[in-house]
Amino acid sequence: MTDAIIIGGGSGMGLALARTLLAHGTDVTIVGRSADRLAQARTQLERPGHGKVGAVTADIAREEDVAALFARVGQVNHVAVTAADATGVYGRTAAVATATARGVIETKLLGAWLVGKYADGRVTDSITFTSGINAYRPNGSNTVMAAANGALASLARGLAIELAPVRVNVISPGWVDTAIWDQLDMDKQAAFADLSKRLPARRVGTPEDIAQAFASVMHNGFVTGTELHVDGGHRFV
Ligand SMILES: NC(=O)c1ccc[n+]([C@@H]2O[C@H](COP(=O)([O-])OP(=O)(O)OC[C@H]3O[C@@H](n4cnc5c(N)ncnc54)[C@H](OP(=O)(O)O)[C@@H]3O)[C@@H](O)[C@H]2O)c1
C-alpha cells in the first residue's frame, strides 16, 4: 500500500516531487527502469519521520510492466508521471532514427495512456502527467518530443472525463536543470545562460519549482483537465 506513485521518480523532477511528498508524510513509490538508480534515490529519500519509500522497476512503455505495477500497488491516491528518455531525440527530424521517435511516443504518450488504462478503478484522487515547453515553442529540434508533449494535454482532458471524479492534469515545465540534458548533444551551460537573460523569470527552473507545481495540482480538488505551465514565461520569449 502506498499513497503516491511517481513514474520517473528516480531522478530530476520526479525525485524532487518524491522528496516534497515524503516530507509531508505521504508514502511514495518511485518507479523507473534502472534498479540501481531507484536504489540510490531511495537511500537519499529515506528519512525518519517522513513517509515510507517504495521502489518498483518498470518500463512505462511496456504494457505488462504497467499492469504489474498497478496490480502490485493496489489502491493508490495519486499517480505522477515524469518518465521520458530523450536519448537520440535532439536534431532535425530527417536525422532522427524512426525507432527513437517510436520510443518517445511509446514512453511519453502511450505510456501515459497505459497509466490511464491500468489506473482505472485503482487511483482515487489524481493523475498528473508531464509535457514540456517544446510543445509550445518549437526550436527546430526535438519535434517528436514536442508532438508527444502536445498530445498529453488532449489525453489528460479525455481521461479527466472518463476517470472522473479522479482528476487528471498536466504540468508543462520550461527548461529545468536535470540529468535529461546530459542526453542531448549541446552546451547546456551556454544554452541556460542565454535563456536566463531572455526569460521573464531571469533563470531556468529547478526540479523543486516543478515539484511544487505538481503538489499543488495533485492536492487541489477543483483542478482537472488542465495543463499548468511552469516555464518562467518561456512561451512569450
Ligand atoms: N528538464 C527539462 O528541461 C524539461 C523541460 C520540459 C519537459 N521536461 C519533461 O520533464 C519530465 C521529467 O524530466 P527530468 O528533467 O526530470 O528528467 P530525468 O531526470 O531524466 O528523469 C526522467 C526519469 O524517467 C525515467 N524513465 C525514463 N524512461 C522511462 C521508462 N520508459 N519507464 C519508466 N521510467 C522511465 C528515468 O529513469 P530510468 O532511466 O531509470 O528509467 C528518469 O528517472 C520528462 O517528461 C521531460 O520530457 C523536462
Side-chain angles (χ1 to χ4, degrees):
M1 184 67 195
T2 191
D3 301 322
I5 299 175
I6 305 175
I7 304 176
S11 64
M13 302 172 196
L15 181 62
L17 175 61
R19 201 175 288 117
T20 300
L21 296 179
L22 288 160
H24 287 89
T26 305
D27 293 345
V28 172
T29 296
I30 54 174
V31 179
R33 296 166 301 177
S34 159
D36 285 350
R37 198 202 281 267
L38 292 176
Q40 278 177 26
R42 199 174 177 172
T43 306
Q44 281 181 44
L45 290 170
E46 279 174 330
R47 297 253 172 91
H50 288 199
K52 289 198 223 57
V53 189
V56 175
T57 307
D59 182 339
I60 194 175
R62 290 166 55 94
E63 181 158 10
E64 57 270 41
D65 286 13
V66 179
L69 169 68
F70 281 98
R72 174 169 169 178
V73 170
Q75 190 159 305
V76 63
N77 302 127
H78 302 280
V79 179
V81 182
T82 61
D85 186 341
T87 310
V89 83
Y90 201 78
R92 289 177 58 77
T93 294
V96 172
T98 306
T100 300
R102 283 212 172 89
V104 168
I105 298 292
E106 284 179 5
T107 303
K108 272 216 103 159
L109 182 58
L110 278 177
W113 181 83
L114 286 171
V115 167
K117 179 170 177 172
Y118 288 95
D120 196 356
R122 294 194 172 101
V123 177
T124 58
D125 290 34
S126 79
I127 301 174
T128 312
F129 300 125
T130 315
S131 62
I133 182 62
N134 59 8
Y136 302 94
R137 286 303 311 269
N139 62 5
S141 180
N142 263 350
T143 299
V144 72
M145 187 72 93
N149 282 336
L152 280 170
S154 300
L155 179 73
R157 288 193 289 271
L159 289 175
I161 296 293
E162 277 197 61
L163 303 184
V166 173
R167 296 172 299 102
V168 186
N169 294 293
V170 181
I171 302 293
S172 177
W175 286 11
V176 178
D177 192 359
T178 67
I180 207 165
W181 284 86
D182 301 336
Q183 297 161 17
L184 307 178
D185 185 19
M186 65 186 296
D187 182 345
K188 176 179 90 168
Q189 294 309 340
F192 282 179
D194 174 58
L195 182 70
S196 297
K197 282 187 215 136
R198 293 183 287 117
L199 271 187
R202 297 287 187 270
R203 64 173 176 84
V204 298
T206 64
E208 289 71 27
D209 292 326
I210 310 303
Q212 277 177 27
F214 261 98
S216 163
V217 160
M218 288 164 73
H219 294 126
N220 187 321
F222 208 48
V223 177
T224 193
T226 288
E227 184 170 35
L228 176 61
H229 297 276
V230 190
D231 61 10
H234 196 153
R235 280 162 302 136
F236 313 117
V237 298

